[in-house]
Structure formats: structure tokens, C-alpha cells
Amino acid sequence: MTESPRPSDPGSGPADRVPGTLTRRGMVLGGAAAVAAAAVAFGTPGVASAAPGGAASTATTAQRPGLPVLSRIRSRDLAYDYLDLRMDEYGSGSAPRLPRSYYGGYFASLPTEFVSSFAYDDSLMVLAWLARRRRGDVQRATALGDALLSLQAADPIGDGRTRASYQPDTFPVATPPRPIDIGSPAAYTGNQSWVGLAFCRLYAATRQRRFLDGALRLGTWIETNARDDVRQPAGYTGGRNADDQPITYKSTEHNIDVTGFFTQLAQLTGDRTWARRAALAESFVRAMQDPTDGHLWTGTDPDGTTINRTPIPEDVQTWAYLATLDRRYAASVTWVLDHLTAHDGPYTGPSFSDTDTSKVWFEGSGHLALALEARGARGDQARAATILDSVQLAQRTEPNGDGKGIVSASSDGLDTGFGDLYYASLHTGATAWYLLAVTGSNPYRLDRSDLR
């Protein structure tokens, strides 16, 4: 769990959840900005089965109902423009550099400018650029990947880890003896996996061996520092905290991330050892599925065994399906529709968890839309299109927006239930997830073209 040295640093780590500390995505905040207008509903169907074999939908932008095709394409391109803007704030061309994760809104009101760059968000940006793969996209993805590689290589512990966040305004890494500027120093298993997923996709796109080498170092770090097949259910623990002490809980989200990451390592290297390790992580995810309605619990308490049942987050429900395309997790996607749908003024979509369903979490909108498209059950494409329409509406109308990027939450003060809040501030992570959804790119799965 993040123990940030910066009072304005919104933590790290997908399921790095211990009361009173900050997570990857949220930060303690007072006050809220209400948005008033009529709500748009998208319905809550019963449990639907996935398409045969769990195959991903091949629908194109032109096949989606909702806004006109040109409008959706224009929205997509504007969102890419936002990622480009953030990436080029501290450099240009092929020079390695880091983008700030959050911009404007609450963050503009802080006494000291908040510019932290979160490795999770950076990884999503790489994956989003590689989903479109224009020349400039690949150049920026490569430059950001090289920045993360340089931070991995320059880490003061030097065991292959990356950290939760860094400061982009002091990057690149200075000539020794000046150390790298780490924002949040914890090394979470989920974050290592997301950086690894970005490196895997970069290797698949560029065939530059340095990215696969970086991914293998991260995978080895996870295996060395987080594997726990003693305390049942077996799986991977949370990593190392800010004081470099073991994090002993097991997170469902972290194990989902490991499942996808290690599967890709197996595919890219041909080493079946990684596939066996991925199966261990996925076995933990299966153990966290409730048999009554199919939703997934957040993970375990620090004892590594007792199930943590409060709160129930959105991300594990949709990511389990995306990482595996296994029909057993089709019900968890439906659970999100039935239990986490939020209406906030004109905006509709999933909230972060069952703690607070009064505001939309737009990063989760990307998760959910992509999972619905992949599941392909009756009505799923229409539901996904309605969710994406609401994100596009926020892109155009959110008071803290710029007409390009996507804000993290529909209003300030979205309570995650894990001790932190989200804000209606522009967010590279939310923007990248929107782009993954509109391009139909599943970050957990390599395409056939990636494996040639």
C-alpha cells in the first residue's frame, strides 16, 4: 500500500488497499462538484452467457450503434491528441520522457503543482498508442517504454522492479550520483505486471529485444518476491511496500494482471514455465469468485487466506473476463451492470465499487465497454456503445475537460471504499482505457499479428 512522501500524490497499485492509505487511482479529497441533468440508463440484464468459446467481438467502430461513425472516430482522434499533449509536455520526438497522469480540476487547486507520472497510467498510454499504431503513436510508445526501462535500470535497489510513480519534471535520469526522482516508492505486483504488459506489446510491435528483456526482469521479480503457494488459496501477494517490506495480502486484481502478463511472456518466449505460473495466478482468481452470483471478491486480508469482502470493486469483475475470455467470468461482467451502475447528471456508467454508486468512474467505463464487446452476448454491443457515448459526452462537456481527454470521475469526491476518492480531473489512464475500448484492443491478450 502506498505510503506517499508527497501529500498530493495519489498513490499507486490497482488493489493496493489498506484502510487509511492511498491507492494507485485515488487521493483523499474534500468537497464535490455536482453535475445536474437528466440521467441516461443502459439497462441491467440478467446473467448472460458469453459468445461461444469466449471469443472476442470483431465489431468495428462502424458497426457500433450510438453516435455517428465520424463522430466516434473524431472523438477517438481527439483523445489520442490528449495523450500526445501530455507526452510532449516535457520533451519531443524519440527522446525518453514521462507524462503527468492528472491535469486540472482539483489538482490545479493544490498549493504545489501536482505532476506525478504513474507507471500504471504510463503503461496504458503505451498500450493505447500501439492499438492505433500510426508512426507518431509507435514513436511515442517507444519513447515512453524507453523511459520506463531506464527507470528500471537506474532503480536504487536494482533488482528489476519499477516504482508506483515518478516525477516527470525531473526526468531523464540524471548523471550519478543524483538519484532518480521517485514519487511513490512501493513496488506493487499489479504495477509490475502492467509495465510488463506494455513491454510485451512493445516487443511484439517493434521486435526490439530490450523490451522483452525488461518484461522478463519484471516477471522474475514478481516470481521471486510475490509467489505464495503455502498459504491457501495459492497465488501472488501484493509485492513490496514503500519501506521494502513484504505486502502479505493477495489481491484478485494483481493476480488477474499476473495471469495476463505471464501468459504473454509464455507466448513471446515459448517458455511454458510462464504459462504454469499464469495458471497459478488464475487459480487464485477462480478461488475469489462467489458461487451465488458470480462476482469476484477483492482478495484476501494480510493473512493471505481470509477473504476480504468489503468493498466489492468494478475492475476485478471486468478484468477477469478480459484476461481469460473464460465464460465463467461472464456473470461477473453482468454483476457490474446490475450493482455498480451510476447516474450523475447526464453521465451513466460504472462506479468504482459498491461503496458509492453516485458518480461515474470513467476509467471503469472503458473496462466495462471493452468487456461487453469481448463477451458478445445479446445486447452487449448496444450496452457498450451507450457507455462509450456517455464517456464521449464527458469528453465534450465536463467543466474540467479540454474537449480531448477524459476525466477520472464524473464529479469530485467519488469514494472508492478503500480510503480514497476520485476527482473530475483529466486523467491519462481514463483516456487510455477509453481508447482501448473504442479500438477494441484488449491489453491482456496478444493478437495473432503480435506473435508472428
Side-chain angles (χ1 to χ4, degrees):
M1 189 60 57
T2 297
E3 299 173 28
S4 172
R6 301 174 187 275
S8 59
D9 194 337
S12 71
D16 314 323
R17 296 154 179 162
V18 173
T21 59
L22 305 180
T23 70
R24 175 189 74 207
R25 310 185 188 97
M27 173 179 156
V28 176
L29 165 71
V35 179
V40 179
F42 56 77
T44 55
V47 174
S49 62
S57 169
T58 57
T60 65
T61 302
Q63 293 171 308
R64 285 195 190 96
L67 295 173
V69 172
L70 288 178
S71 178
R72 185 77 83 204
I73 292 172
R74 178 60 177 158
S75 171
R76 177 202 66 188
D77 289 345
L78 287 169
Y80 274 113
D81 287 346
Y82 180 75
L83 295 189
D84 295 350
L85 177 68
R86 293 277 69 85
M87 181 63 179
D88 295 344
E89 184 174 3
Y90 297 104
S92 61
S94 61
R97 56 198 184 275
L98 296 171
R100 70 169 82 187
S101 288
Y102 294 91
Y103 187 85
Y106 173 78
F107 296 97
S109 71
L110 297 173
T112 302
E113 187 175 23
F114 179 82
V115 299
S116 286
S117 183
F118 291 90
Y120 164 77
D121 297 325
D122 299 341
S123 301
L124 288 171
M125 291 174 71
V126 168
L127 293 163
W129 278 316
L130 294 180
R132 191 173 65 167
R133 289 199 191 184
R134 292 181 181 175
R135 182 177 179 180
D137 297 336
V138 176
Q139 183 183 62
R140 288 186 175 88
T142 301
L144 184 47
D146 280 334
L148 292 169
L149 279 176
S150 71
L151 290 163
Q152 181 188 41
D155 191 87
I157 294 179
D159 60 356
R161 73 180 67 189
T162 58
R163 306 304 180 109
S165 74
Y166 303 92
Q167 296 306 107
D169 51 339
T170 56
F171 189 87
V173 177
T175 302
R178 179 176 154 187
I180 59 176
D181 195 352
I182 298 171
S184 296
Y188 297 107
T189 298
N191 279 358
Q192 312 309 308
S193 297
W194 276 103
V195 177
L197 288 166
F199 286 167
C200 285
R201 195 63 61 97
L202 277 165
Y203 173 70
T206 69
R207 291 298 154 175
Q208 297 298 310
R209 177 71 196 199
R210 64 185 183 276
F211 292 118
L212 182 57
D213 289 343
L216 287 166
R217 290 192 75 199
L218 289 166
T220 300
W221 188 93
I222 293 170
E223 181 68 15
T224 300
N225 290 275
R227 185 183 180 109
D228 178 10
D229 44 17
V230 174
R231 301 177 303 165
Q232 298 298 312
Y236 290 86
T237 62
R240 311 284 292 189
N241 67 17
D243 297 321
D244 196 31
Q245 296 302 304
I247 299 170
T248 57
Y249 63 77
K250 297 190 190 91
S251 159
T252 305
E253 185 182 331
H254 288 184
N255 280 272
I256 292 169
D257 301 338
V258 171
T259 299
F261 175 34
F262 284 4
T263 298
Q264 291 189 20
L265 285 179
Q267 292 172 321
L268 293 172
T269 65
D271 184 349
R272 296 298 299 169
T273 300
W274 292 110
R276 291 191 291 273
R277 293 167 177 172
L280 175 68
E282 205 272 317
S283 72
F284 178 83
V285 179
R286 291 198 306 271
M288 291 299 106
Q289 187 168 33
D290 186 84
T292 58
D293 60 9
H295 82 270
L296 294 157
W297 302 108
T298 192
T300 75
D301 289 344
D303 64 11
T305 298
T306 305
I307 294 177
N308 177 357
R309 300 179 185 273
T310 305
I312 306 173
E314 184 274 346
D315 47 19
V316 300
Q317 318 304 329
T318 51
W319 289 11
Y321 189 81
L322 289 171
T324 64
L325 300 182
D326 189 323
R327 293 181 62 171
R328 79 179 68 219
Y329 302 118
S332 65
V333 177
T334 298
W335 188 90
V336 173
L337 297 173
D338 289 344
H339 296 277
L340 297 186
T341 297
H343 306 289
D344 185 11
Y347 311 119
T348 296
S351 190
F352 183 92
S353 76
D354 59 347
T355 294
D356 178 3
T357 58
S358 66
K359 303 171 181 67
V360 178
W361 182 42
F362 288 119
E363 182 186 326
S365 297
H367 309 164
L368 179 56
L370 189 59
L372 288 167
E373 291 168 345
R375 190 175 71 167
R378 182 186 302 175
D380 276 353
Q381 285 195 28
R383 294 180 193 106
T386 300
I387 294 166
L388 293 175
D389 286 350
S390 194
V391 180
Q392 186 173 340
L393 179 65
Q395 181 186 38
R396 297 196 307 262
T397 62
E398 267 285 339
N400 295 332
D402 64 351
K404 298 178 180 180
I406 310 301
V407 296
S408 181
S410 57
S411 299
D412 287 342
L414 171 58
D415 187 350
T416 68
F418 293 107
D420 46 51
L421 307 177
Y422 281 105
Y423 319 92
S425 295
L426 288 166
H427 181 208
T428 56
T431 305
W433 266 110
Y434 173 61
L435 289 169
L436 291 172
V438 298
T439 58
S441 179
N442 184 343
Y444 288 109
R445 310 284 293 196
L446 291 173
D447 297 328
R448 288 182 180 178
S449 60
D450 295 319
L451 299 173
R452 290 175 186 168

